[in-house]
């Protein structure tokens, strides 16, 4: 995925990140997604795909991935309603391994 580098894309990615975090805290009823943290959003060049980086206090699991996949439509619909976007990008969830790498490098 070729990433967007424009200010507009950065602003939209930031808005999506904050709104997804708010939706996760206030609107999601799935207990598997309660302690999830949205750590970043990256958009592709035409802003049709948003790669959502996330972490969870209990680590990465298949159950968490399934819960995010199941909630994808709900999240996308709420993004469109709350941000008043004409076109809401497709959401792709990716585990953010940055913190794990930093902890591992400090131990070495």
């Amino acid at each position: 995925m070729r990433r967007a580098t424009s200010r507009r894309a950065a602003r939209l990615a930031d808005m999506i990140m904050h709104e997804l975090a708010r939706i996760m805290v206030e609107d999601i009823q799935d207990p598997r997604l309660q302690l999830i943290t949205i750590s970043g959003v990256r958009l592709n060049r035409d802003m049709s795909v948003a790669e959502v980086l996330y972490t969870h206090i209990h680590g990465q699991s298949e159950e968490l991935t399934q819960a995010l996949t199941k909630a994808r439509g709900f999240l996308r619909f709420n993004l469109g309603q709350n941000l008043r976007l004409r076109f809401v990008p497709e959401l792709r969830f990716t585990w953010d391994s940055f913190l794990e790498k930093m902890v591992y490098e400090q131990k070495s």
Side-chain angles (χ1 to χ4, degrees), residues 40-94:
V41 174
R42 293 183 243 178
L43 292 168
N44 67 344
R45 287 208 177 201
D46 65 356
M47 293 187 253
S48 64
V49 177
E51 181 182 18
V52 180
L53 303 169
Y54 70 94
T55 60
H56 194 271
I57 194 165
H58 297 298
Q60 189 177 11
S61 70
E62 185 63 34
E63 185 178 342
L64 183 61
T65 304
Q66 290 173 354
L68 285 168
T69 302
K70 184 178 176 186
R72 181 179 293 156
F74 176 80
L75 294 170
R76 195 168 175 211
F77 174 79
N78 281 307
L79 278 176
Q81 293 290 315
N82 298 339
L83 296 179
R84 298 181 188 260
L85 297 174
R86 185 175 302 166
F87 179 78
V88 181
E90 174 191 342
L91 300 176
R92 294 182 184 168
F93 295 96
T94 305

Side-chain angles (χ1 to χ4, degrees), residues 18-60:
H18 287 291
E19 189 59 29
L20 279 176
R22 189 200 63 74
I23 292 169
M24 292 285 191
V25 169
E26 296 177 5
D27 299 334
I28 293 281
Q29 300 297 322
D30 192 339
R32 298 174 291 184
L33 299 176
Q34 284 182 344
L35 298 174
I36 196 167
T37 302
I38 304 297
S39 56
V41 174
R42 293 183 243 178
L43 292 168
N44 67 344
R45 287 208 177 201
D46 65 356
M47 293 187 253
S48 64
V49 177
E51 181 182 18
V52 180
L53 303 169
Y54 70 94
T55 60
H56 194 271
I57 194 165
H58 297 298
Q60 189 177 11

